[in-house]
Amino acid sequence: MKILVTGGTGYIGSHTVVELQNKGFEVVIVDSLFNSTADIADKIGMITGTKPTLEVFDLCDQEKTADFFKRHNDLRGVIHFAAHKAVGESVEKPLMYYRNNLESLINVMQGMTDNNIQNIVFSSSCTVYGQPDELPVSEKAPIKKAESPYGNTKQIAEEIISDTVSSGDLHSIALRYFNPIGAHETALIGELPIGVPNNLVPFITQTAIGLREQISVFGDDYNTPDGTAIRDYIHVVDLAKAHVIAIDRMINNKMKKDFEIFNLGTGNGYSVLEVIQSFEKVSRLKLNYKIVGRREGDIEKVWANPDFSNKELGWKAEQGLDEMIASSWKWEQELRSK
Ligand code: NAD
Ligand code: WQD
């Protein structure tokens, strides 16, 4: 049961490779190492006992991608994580985002169809919902105009997949992640933001460890109980496990439609201040934070209705906020102790 994991040395990809190997899948990773390092494959090997094969190249390279699929035409499925993901950067460099996120997807799907490989799991995002009219947001909610070029790449990618599936060549499951946080319990793999983090939890842990002086809380005048914005944070290992279920569902012909879409969230929304309070509780530290103005492009509140994925996939996020934050904190401490 050989699976290609693109972006497999990245944050969510590496945790998914661990879960796939734990379930007996053979994994080949393709990653350009644009936002990760080759030693992650060693770390995965330390966790699972098997170092996955890693091929380093850019999936935007059509020739290399075609050659890869020719050499691996026995693949049973693909999990496609490889993409750029910084929302702010995508506003400054839209072409870089459209090119990377869409060309790589097209090349991967071309390689699959040319070699009769049918199953692709795609990393989508709750960003496709924008600010939903109804909360919790279900898969049936309308897609809103994207807030950023990054978000637009996810919307367009879902359309490209849908059209390709309709042509009869592929089956696909798109997983719309809410806000992944946390790290593997071994603290051997986790999120490695390059430069100043954009996301809340890495910024909190980097502030607490002394890398940043203070964290800004973006806005306390939202229409929420404490005025700060609400998100559905989900542990990366819970997220990773859903990918194994999705690929298994495809391989074993358990899909109800040729293109299925699932939310991956916990169904619980937490405010920025609740996340900070959780951090202070589990770390027993005081966090240096200050309230500042809203961040441009941020939505007020979003959390998932995970009923469809709970029922159809038989999957449920298990870890609570404190556990997630504790694992992020353990990872940060481990990282900086070297
Ligand atoms: P990440 O940056 O840690 O991992 C992505 C990996 O893909 C990196 O290792 C990078 O080097 C690689 N990559 C990028 N472009 C490539 C290319 N052209 N060819 C080969 N490799 C390439 O990101 P992540 O957080 O693990 O995200 C994985 C996927 O999940 C992405 O598609 C992202 O858009 C999506 N997603 C992430 C979040 C989040 O908050 N982390 C939320 C929703 C969706
Ligand atoms: C969470 C909350 C911030 C940093 C992003 C992408 C989304 C998806 C997940 C990929 C917000 C607040 C943050 C800080 C803060 N990624 N915050 N101070 O913006 O919900 O989602 O990652 O698909 O597409 O947009 O996540 O972690 O950046 O922010 O107050 O220093 O924390 O305003 O309310 P976000 P985030």
Side-chain angles (χ1 to χ4, degrees):
M1 288 285 203
K2 191 162 90 174
I3 305 294
L4 164 63
V5 179
T6 75
T9 44
Y11 174 43
I12 307 171
S14 57
H15 289 82
T16 301
V17 174
V18 167
E19 298 305 319
L20 283 167
Q21 290 189 332
N22 283 345
K23 289 281 183 208
F25 288 95
E26 180 191 347
V27 177
V28 182
I29 297 173
V30 170
D31 202 298
S32 62
L33 305 182
F34 179 90
N35 198 33
S36 57
T37 50
D39 66 317
I40 299 298
D42 301 315
K43 302 279 174 59
I44 293 170
M46 286 161 75
I47 297 171
T48 64
T50 310
K51 184 180 167 184
T53 307
L54 166 64
E55 294 204 19
V56 178
F57 64 88
D58 187 337
L59 290 159
C60 293
D61 186 322
Q62 206 176 340
E63 256 174 54
K64 283 189 183 152
T65 307
D67 173 67
F68 172 88
F69 278 100
K70 236 183 262 163
R71 288 185 286 111
H72 293 277
N73 59 9
D74 55 341
L75 285 167
R76 295 299 305 276
V78 176
I79 306 183
H80 183 55
F81 290 104
H84 295 332
K85 62 163 180 179
V87 175
E89 185 183 53
S90 80
V91 176
E92 284 155 31
K93 300 175 183 166
L95 294 180
M96 173 182 162
Y97 273 68
Y98 286 115
R99 186 183 300 282
N100 189 62
N101 293 4
L102 298 178
E103 276 190 9
S104 59
L105 173 69
I106 292 166
N107 289 342
V108 165
M109 292 202 303
Q110 188 69 58
M112 291 176 69
T113 55
D114 289 348
N115 292 281
N116 202 23
I117 300 157
Q118 286 187 338
N119 305 316
I120 180 166
V121 177
F122 175 69
S123 297
S124 191
S125 168
C126 68
T127 192
V128 302
Y129 298 121
Q131 176 60 65
D133 300 325
E134 274 177 43
L135 286 168
V137 62
S138 85
E139 294 83 352
K140 294 201 176 85
I143 301 297
K144 296 273 181 75
K145 183 174 164 34
E147 307 265 355
S148 67
Y150 165 74
N152 207 19
T153 68
K154 294 297 175 192
Q155 296 188 358
I156 297 170
E158 286 194 8
E159 288 176 355
I160 294 174
I161 293 170
S162 171
D163 289 343
T164 313
V165 166
S166 297
S167 76
D169 286 335
L170 284 179
H171 298 157
S172 181
I173 293 180
L175 300 173
R176 292 180 178 159
Y177 316 151
F178 282 66
N179 288 51
I181 60 169
H184 195 263
E185 60 183 359
T186 57
L188 284 166
I189 53 172
E191 191 171 8
L192 271 174
I194 293 171
V196 182
N198 295 305
N199 296 117
L200 178 64
V201 173
F203 211 111
I204 289 177
T205 56
Q206 287 198 8
T207 305
I209 208 91
L211 277 177
R212 320 262 154 226
E213 205 184 312
Q214 189 174 53
I215 171 158
S216 300
V217 173
F218 298 133
D220 68 347
D221 57 350
Y222 286 109
N223 182 22
T224 60
D226 66 21
T228 62
I230 295 178
R231 298 289 185 272
D232 185 338
Y233 298 92
I234 175 166
H235 198 287
V236 66
V237 173
D238 280 331
L239 204 65
K241 287 178 178 166
H243 292 74
V244 181
I245 294 172
I247 205 79
D248 183 72
R249 179 179 175 90
M250 305 185 92
I251 291 173
N252 292 305
N253 299 318
K254 289 189 268 184
M255 294 175 78
K256 303 257 166 80
K257 288 193 295 182
D258 290 343
F259 183 30
E260 296 181 322
I261 295 178
F262 295 102
N263 279 345
L264 295 184
T266 65
N268 302 312
Y270 291 102
S271 73
V272 177
L273 287 179
E274 284 174 319
V275 174
I276 290 177
Q277 280 152 14
S278 167
F279 177 80
E280 291 186 330
K281 187 167 90 185
V282 303
S283 69
R284 301 199 185 126
L285 294 171
K286 267 317 300 143
L287 190 72
N288 183 17
Y289 71 89
K290 75 163 179 229
I291 311 277
V292 302
R294 293 181 180 193
R295 181 172 70 177
E296 204 187 329
D298 271 351
I299 58 162
E300 185 166 83
K301 48 191 166 193
V302 64
W303 61 95
N305 178 340
D307 290 351
F308 186 56
S309 21
N310 291 168
K311 187 168 151 270
E312 270 300 315
L313 297 178
W315 165 89
K316 200 171 183 342
E318 282 165 4
Q319 303 205 40
L321 184 63
D322 290 350
E323 285 170 283
M324 299 190 232
I325 297 289
S327 79
S328 293
W329 181 226
K330 183 177 170 191
W331 160 246
E332 184 74 59
Q333 288 173 296
E334 191 63 33
L335 203 60
R336 309 303 163 189
S337 67
K338 284 163 198 141

